[in-house]
Amino acid sequence: MLKATAALPANHGKGKPFAQLVLTSDQRRLRRKVLNVKGEEVLVDFPEAVTLDHFGGLLLEDGRVIEVIAAPEPLLEILPKGAEHLAQIAWHIGNRHMAAQIEKKRILVPRDHVAKAMLQGLGAEVRDTTEPFIPMQGAYHAPH
């Protein structure tokens, strides 16, 4: 079984990948796991949990690289009325400990009918979408 020796950031410059691995946001957060890549088993066994970057990778002990791609996921696209409204909605999302991808003019969260009703109640336009999800990492997930 091959072993992954490092998680690589996006734009790592370690060469062309021999394979791609498409993972959801939850699957990209790992510490110990056996992955199946092109019929080969790859052991990930890091000292601490890591979040694999979209377009980042895994460096294998034989020097090859597996590129990590964020999988499309069912999400809610939240469109606030402006910057202040976006900040208020972000506060409510954080208060509920929801994973969120916060951008300048929208927020993405996992699709959930209860959250959708709350967000609409706060005056946001909310649409269903399916796209890669790259949520912000919390303060306790900062790289060391």
Side-chain angles (χ1 to χ4, degrees), residues 80-92 104 107:
K81 296 174 186 172
E84 184 176 344
H85 193 219
L86 184 139
Q88 291 168 351
I89 289 169
W91 183 89
H92 284 282
K104 287 183 180 183
I107 301 173

Side-chain angles (χ1 to χ4, degrees), residues 1-5 18 31-46 58-64 66:
M1 179 181 312
L2 287 169
K3 185 173 180 182
T5 58
F18 88 96
R31 190 197 77 71
R32 182 176 171 82
K33 186 170 182 84
V34 175
L35 303 168
N36 190 320
V37 181
K38 286 187 141 181
E40 294 185 65
E41 288 187 330
V42 175
L43 173 64
V44 175
D45 187 13
F46 296 136
L58 289 169
L59 179 63
L60 303 182
E61 61 192 345
D62 65 5
R64 292 184 295 169
I66 300 168

